[in-house]
Structures are given as C-alpha cells and as structure tokens.
Amino acid sequence: MIDYFTISDTGVKKSVHASNWLAVDNPSDAEKEQLHEAYDLPKNFFALGQKYSNVSFFKKYQTTEKNPLCLMLFVDIQSVDEPESLSSTVSVFLTPEVLITVSDNSLIQEVLQNFESEIFTKAGLILHMLQTINEHYLIFLREQRKTIEEISKGTAHGSNKNILEQTTHTEKNLVYIDNLLKEQLKTIDRLLNSSLVASDRDLAIEIELQSKQATTSVQIYREMLGSISGLINSMMDNRLNQLMKFLNTASLLLALPTLIFSLWGINTGGLLWRDSEIGSIMVVLLALIVSIVSGVYLFKKDYDA
C-alpha cells in the first residue's frame, strides 16, 4: 500500500497522486516495480529491512547525475513484552525531490496524529519519526523499571521460580535494547551532524537528548538488575548452605546410633548388658540419648561465628 502526502510550509496534507512524500507499507510486487522505475531506488531497497533486521544505518550517496540521495534504516519496537520478536525496520529513501518511507502504517499514523501540525519539511518528518521511535524505547524502559521494582520487592520474600524467570526475561530484553540503542545512537549522531537537519536544529537537539536518555536509562537499569541478580544468587547460595548444613547434621545424627548398634553387635565377650533381659532396650535408649544430645548441640552451634 502506498499513501501519498504533500509536505509544505503549511504542513502535511494527504493527496491522491504522487507527491514529495510516499508512505509505503507492505507493498505488492507491482508497487515495488512501480517505485523502482519512477524513483530509481537502490537495488533490494524493500528487502533491506527484512534482510538486515536490527541494523541501523545512515549513508549519503552521490549519483551519476550529481543528485545527492540518502538511505537510512532505523529499528522501531512494537511490543513492551517481546521487543526482539516484534521489532520492525523503518527504511527511508531521501532525494531533493521525494521522501520514501517504508514502515508499518501504525507508526505513520502515530507520527501524523502527534506532529502533523509541526511538520513542514522532509527532514522534519524524519526527525519526528525518530522522536516517535525514541518514545517507544522510553515507554519500554519505563515498563522495565516497574518490572525491576517488582523483582526487587519479590526478593524480599525470598527467590522463587517466577522471580528467576522474570529476572532472566527482563535481563534478556535489556541486553537486546542496550545493543540496539548503542547502534542506533551512532546512526542518529551521523544524521544530526549532517546538513539535512540544519533547519531543524532545536528538534535535532531534543532528539539527541532523548536518545542519550534512553541509552543512559538502559545502562542504569541493567546495573540495577545486575545487583538484584547478585542478591538472588547470594540468597540461593545461602539457602543451599543451610540445606547442606541440615543434611550433614542429619547424616551425623544417623551415624551415631549406627555406630553404637555396630559396637554392641560384636560377637565377643565383655559387652555391657550382654546377659541382661533389657539389654537391647538399654542400647536403644543409649543411642537415643546420644543422638538427642548431639542434635541439640549441633543445631545450637553457630557455624558463622
């Protein structure tokens, strides 16, 4: 599908014929061929976002006709819970005459809904698209902050399977977003340092700050989650130590009566209570008393002292 728009000093208006902005979403083969012929697009332009997913890119070219063109790729996330599986690449092709964007229609609708009255140039549209994409990252990071707080509160009551799964899932998402933002920040810096956005400096500065806020936030949240993960590991180690302490104590308590019964099972003379009618009961009582005394001593002993 191809939507045609006109960007001018009066803003953005939708049109029925080709204009200076073409918003493309899931184009058919016929539409791809039409655009290739009409605007001399780079080869495999529509396949770049699919072939090189999770890659951000900015490059200015000089054609044989000395007409400059610019090719850009940005990565947008569409899900707070599964950013890796539900991310999409936004492809941008810019010439002095036309701007072609390939993205999900929902992104274009969001940009127009929020900034339609503020877009007067093609560069302004690109910057507002980046502003919207960055806002998606910031929304995601705010949700991750809430999740980290929930994990932190959960660890106060001990670690369990749900806490561990939530921590692992959150850490995986933050690692993915961290690397994505680092790569995209390089692309945004190259764009903001180019002459394309010379007339939109204020917006460019805001986007640069927005991007740095996202990259800084993800670093902070990764460190916070790392400290919580360390706490969970320490709690698990302590629980394991307590379990091993209990098992070792139990095995020792079982070994003492076993030793006593073994000694009284020697087939030699001179054993106490050998000829007594209640000898067996006396041996059992002796083993029980030794076990109880040893158990009280072992469980009261402070091994951390």
Side-chain angles (χ1 to χ4, degrees):
M1 181 180 69
I2 304 176
D3 290 324
Y4 299 97
F5 296 89
T6 300
I7 303 176
S8 64
D9 294 338
T10 59
V12 179
K13 293 181 180 179
K14 193 169 185 178
S15 58
V16 295
H17 301 293
S19 188
N20 60 352
W21 174 29
L22 281 67
V24 183
D25 177 27
N26 194 22
S28 64
D29 292 338
E31 289 174 332
K32 292 179 182 179
E33 187 63 28
Q34 172 191 343
L35 293 174
H36 274 296
E37 293 179 358
Y39 300 102
D40 193 24
L41 295 176
K43 294 181 179 179
N44 299 327
F45 172 71
F46 295 102
L48 291 176
Q50 299 174 350
K51 188 176 181 181
Y52 302 101
S53 59
N54 302 330
V55 172
S56 187
F57 180 77
F58 173 83
K59 189 71 175 180
K60 292 181 70 176
Y61 295 94
Q62 195 74 32
T63 63
T64 54
E65 292 82 7
K66 297 184 179 181
N67 292 323
L69 61 86
C70 190
L71 181 62
M72 289 168 267
L73 297 178
F74 303 105
V75 182
D76 184 27
I77 56 173
Q78 301 171 314
S79 171
V80 173
D81 297 323
E82 298 292 339
E84 185 174 2
S85 59
L86 293 175
S87 62
S88 63
T89 301
V90 180
S91 303
V92 179
F93 180 75
L94 177 64
T95 71
E97 293 78 25
V98 68
L99 169 67
I100 299 176
T101 59
V102 182
S103 66
D104 290 331
N105 188 57
S106 58
L107 175 63
I108 299 301
Q109 294 301 322
E110 185 177 354
V111 172
L112 293 177
Q113 181 179 354
N114 295 331
F115 306 109
E116 185 174 5
S117 61
E118 303 175 24
I119 299 174
F120 305 105
T121 63
K122 294 190 287 294
L125 171 65
I126 296 173
L127 291 176
H128 281 299
M129 287 182 65
L130 276 175
Q131 191 175 13
T132 303
I133 291 172
N134 282 339
E135 186 59 34
H136 292 169
Y137 284 102
L138 292 174
I139 292 173
F140 165 82
L141 291 172
R142 285 192 287 268
E143 291 299 320
Q144 299 309 299
R145 174 60 186 266
K146 294 179 182 178
T147 303
I148 292 173
E149 291 177 352
E150 292 176 1
I151 294 173
S152 180
K153 292 179 181 177
T155 55
H157 306 289
S159 59
N160 54 48
K161 182 179 179 181
N162 292 333
I163 292 293
L164 293 176
E165 289 178 349
Q166 195 174 22
T167 302
T168 302
H169 181 71
T170 304
E171 189 169 7
K172 182 192 74 172
N173 286 341
L174 288 176
V175 169
Y176 173 73
I177 294 298
D178 185 17
N179 288 279
L180 206 60
L181 283 173
K182 286 179 180 177
E183 187 65 25
Q184 189 139 289
L185 181 61
K186 297 177 184 177
T187 302
I188 292 175
D189 285 341
R190 287 195 291 268
L191 171 62
L192 298 184
N193 290 329
S194 69
S195 59
L196 296 175
V197 296
S199 59
D200 299 275
R201 267 305 139 194
D202 292 341
L203 181 56
I205 292 174
E206 182 176 350
I207 290 174
E208 185 173 6
L209 292 173
Q210 192 182 39
S211 301
K212 290 186 176 181
Q213 180 185 3
T215 54
T216 302
S217 296
V218 74
Q219 289 291 334
I220 292 173
Y221 297 159
R222 284 193 66 182
E223 291 181 8
M224 291 173 60
L225 191 61
S227 64
I228 294 174
S229 297
L231 175 61
I232 293 175
N233 290 334
S234 298
M235 293 173 63
M236 293 178 64
D237 291 340
N238 182 65
R239 182 178 297 180
L240 180 61
N241 290 336
Q242 293 297 325
L243 178 60
M244 293 303 298
K245 173 184 173 182
F246 172 79
L247 292 175
N248 290 333
T249 302
S251 63
L252 181 58
L253 294 178
L254 291 174
L256 290 174
T258 302
L259 176 62
I260 293 174
F261 294 146
S262 299
L263 291 174
W264 256 266
I266 300 175
N267 294 321
T268 58
L271 289 175
L272 187 64
W273 308 315
R274 177 181 179 183
D275 299 324
S276 175
E277 295 180 356
I278 60 173
S280 297
I281 297 176
M282 298 299 292
V283 172
V284 172
L285 288 176
L286 176 63
L288 183 61
I289 293 171
V290 171
S291 297
I292 292 174
V293 172
S294 301
V296 172
Y297 171 77
L298 291 173
F299 280 110
K300 283 188 175 182
K301 183 174 177 59
D302 185 8
Y303 291 95
D304 295 329

